[in-house]
Structures are given as C-alpha cells and as structure tokens.
Amino acid sequence: MNKKFAIAVHGGAGTILRSLMTPDKEKRYTEALADAIAAGYDILKRGGTSVDAVEAAVTSLENFPLFNAGRGSVFTNKGTHEMDASVMDGKTLEAGAVSGISNVQNPIQLARLVKDKSGHVFLCGKEAEHFARLMDLPFQPNEYFFEEGRYKQWLEVKDSETYQLDHTIRDEKKFGTVGAVAMDMNGNLAAATSTGGMTNKRFGRIGDTPIIGSGTYANNNTCAISCTGHGEYFMRAVVAYDISCLIEYKGLSLKEACDYVVKDKLVKFGGEGGLIAIDRHGNIELPFNSEGMYRGWKTENERTEIRIYE
Ligand code: ASP
C-alpha cells in the first residue's frame, strides 16, 4: 500500500484583490477552505477513497455561501439558480455529471449518484432533479440559495444581455466555482467540481464544470484536475484532458503540463482562470493566470496550506 495521500481544493479564481478584501472576509474564506480540506483529509487518513474525499470536500465548499456553488450559486437571468457539477474516479474512469439543476442542496452528491447508480454519465435539468428525488437527496427552497451580495450583483445586470463571471463588484472579476482533487493511500486519483455558473446566464447556458475532460478529469495513469475560469474557453480548450494528454503522450511532468496549458496556451486563447491538479506521485500544482485563486492543500503529515493571491 502506498502510504502517501494528499488533497487540494479551490474556491474559484479571478480578480481577487488584496485592496478589496477585508480581514473578516479573508478569515471566512480561509476557514471555509480549511474546513473543506479537513473533510476530505479525514477520509483519506482513515484509508478512505479519493472519490469519497473529493465529494466530502466539495460538499463542504457548496455549503459555504460565499463560493459560487451549491448554497452560494449566482443568479440566472430569470432570478433562479441553475447548478452544474461533476466527479470522476481515476481508477475506473467512471464519471458522473449534472447540469442546470435547481434546489438540490448538494449537486456534487447528485453527480456522484449519477456515476454510481444511474447507468449514465450526464443528466440535466428536471429529469436530473427527478433522479435526485428517487435517490432521496435533500432539496432546499429558493430562499436557501439567496445571498445578498450575489443578488446585488445580478440586479446590476439583469436588464441587460450581459452575463458575467462571478463579479462581486463592478470590475472585479471572480470565478467562484469550487473543486477538489485527491490521491488516496492506494494511489487512486479523483476530481470533483461544482458551480452556479455565470451571473445572468440565459438560454440554459452550461459551462465547463460538468463536462468531463474540460472542467474535471481524473486518470490514475496521469493526474486529476478540477478547473475554474471562463467556461467557454475551458470547454473549447478541453483543459483538464489536455493536461492529462500532455503527461500521457508527451511525457511532460505535471508542472510542465499545467504551466503550458494555464500560463501559455490559455492566455493566448483569452481564457482566464486556473485549476488544481495532482499526479499519480502525489505532486500538487495550483496554477492560475488571473489575480488570485482561493486554494489550499494538505499532504500526509504536513500542515494545511491556504493561499488566495499569487
Ligand atoms: N467555469 C465556471 C463556468 O464557466 C465558472 C467558474 O469557474 O466560476 O461555469
């Protein structure tokens, strides 16, 4: 048994400026990231699987109202919340994803059940909610998903055709999607990602988060990846799978692959954002090409590390 294990989490990337952060807010974000790491780490430490660990970490992040996922999801053009999530098991290459779902308390738990119990990979909308009911997952009323800051964000743009990544104030761009990647004691990798998408999104818009290979990917032979950023670009660049392919086909290290895709390829393409990654040796990378990214990690016998800025 490989005794090494590790977990990394993110709470979104974007224009996260020190000048706009209050000590109280920073403390809340830091604690939320640390709680998510602890939730996943405890499972890994007890010999649990990486899939259980990433699901637990993302559930914890979804329950924290300041991240754009689960409870803190942004408003759509209709003033509703439509959430996307996905999870992948690097050992079996099994995956589960949901998109455009409302009122499900923890979309990542639904994605997990899609993987384990539906016989399919990707379910959407009302029928995915129906499946959640059959699986006895908790639902919440609309008020549960109401967050004052997000509501104000939406009021600013709701009468326009503009849709925006999770801006907290005008000119501050922030992608608040959450995610986790982990390696367990058996060397198995997993990745999970969850989001409310973009403020004022219309027409059933879906981003990269629930798309296996774009926002989420895991393969024991290479790495596990969870992305955050401007989904349209991450989908077209097939970011998560691209990194895995660079390792598998070109023999790049995790760091080389991540740096090339996030800091070179995506920048030239115009895709702002970042990702968290872990490879089969337990190496962790957390690259981003924006001002900041809420992120943290912990490996066996080491302390919890949390960072927000470069
Ligand atoms: N990638 C997400 C999307 O486009 C947004 C984010 O990362 O905040 O839906």
Side-chain angles (χ1 to χ4, degrees):
M1 191 185 269
N2 165 7
K3 280 278 174 250
K4 272 181 89 165
F5 59 94
I7 184 161
V9 302
H10 72 78
T15 314
I16 304 164
L17 300 176
R18 244 181 245 275
S19 55
L20 298 170
M21 183 66 80
T22 63
D24 175 59
K25 236 176 153 185
E26 186 163 324
K27 186 164 167 277
R28 288 182 69 196
Y29 279 117
T30 303
E31 282 170 3
L33 291 166
D35 286 350
I37 290 172
Y41 191 84
D42 283 352
I43 292 172
L44 297 173
K45 199 171 149 195
R46 284 188 271 110
T49 68
S50 52
V51 177
D52 284 343
V54 294
E55 180 187 337
V58 169
T59 296
S60 171
L61 294 164
E62 284 178 341
N63 293 340
F64 177 67
L66 293 186
F67 291 130
N68 171 22
R71 183 164 201 170
S73 292
V74 295
F75 286 82
T76 67
N77 182 255
K78 292 190 173 135
T80 57
H81 305 279
E82 289 174 7
M83 303 172 285
D84 309 327
S86 65
V87 61
M88 186 160 185
D89 181 343
K91 181 183 173 195
T92 59
L93 301 187
E94 287 169 351
V98 291
S99 69
I101 56 161
S102 301
N103 302 100
V104 174
Q105 182 178 303
N106 291 108
I108 197 63
Q109 294 177 5
L110 182 54
R112 171 75 188 266
L113 287 164
V114 169
K115 173 176 98 53
D116 292 347
K117 304 243 164 88
S118 75
H120 301 295
V121 171
F122 200 165
L123 304 184
C124 77
K126 292 288 161 228
E127 286 300 311
E129 290 164 22
H130 176 62
F131 177 68
R133 286 205 170 81
L134 291 180
M135 293 289 117
D136 281 331
L137 277 184
F139 275 66
Q140 293 291 347
N142 293 341
E143 306 81 72
Y144 172 86
F145 299 88
F146 182 89
E147 203 274 320
E148 187 70 34
R150 291 266 143 62
Y151 184 64
K152 287 192 184 141
Q153 223 171 52
W154 174 60
L155 288 183
E156 283 181 19
V157 291
K158 82 180 188 35
D159 295 323
S160 71
E161 288 188 4
T162 325
Y163 58 88
Q164 34 176 234
L165 285 143
D166 186 18
H167 291 224
T168 42
I169 62 161
R170 211 183 292 276
D171 296 328
E172 184 198 7
K173 245 202 271 171
K174 183 165 75 60
F175 315 102
T177 294
V178 304
V181 294
M183 182 180 80
D184 62 32
M185 283 185 191
N186 289 310
N188 293 318
L189 303 180
T193 316
S194 179
T195 191
M198 290 167 121
T199 295
N200 213 34
K201 63 185 180 180
R202 300 187 297 162
F203 314 127
R205 181 264 181 192
I206 308 291
D208 60 312
T209 302
I211 298 184
I212 299 303
S214 288
T216 303
Y217 189 71
N219 185 333
N220 273 7
N221 293 328
T222 55
C223 60
I225 309 272
S226 169
C227 300
T228 171
H230 196 154
E232 277 65 12
Y233 293 88
F234 279 66
M235 280 188 271
R236 288 156 58 211
V238 203
V239 169
Y241 188 58
D242 199 23
I243 290 178
S244 173
C245 287
L246 287 168
I247 296 172
E248 187 171 358
Y249 302 144
K250 284 199 116 184
L252 264 57
S253 69
L254 184 71
K255 182 169 176 18
E256 287 166 345
C258 285
D259 282 351
Y260 173 59
V261 172
V262 177
K263 298 185 177 160
D264 184 353
K265 217 170 153 179
L266 268 176
V267 172
K268 287 177 186 149
F269 201 45
E272 188 184 351
L275 55 85
I276 53 173
I278 187 165
D279 71 9
R280 62 199 180 93
H281 310 292
N283 298 311
I284 290 174
E285 292 294 330
L286 308 96
F288 52 96
N289 61 33
S290 46
E291 307 279 340
M293 180 167 82
Y294 294 107
R295 61 203 190 278
W297 68 97
K298 185 171 165 91
T299 60
E300 79 284 345
N301 308 324
E302 280 179 31
R303 43 183 219 145
T304 302
E305 301 285 348
I306 307 282
R307 304 274 190 283
I308 298 178
Y309 315 101
E310 188 63 74

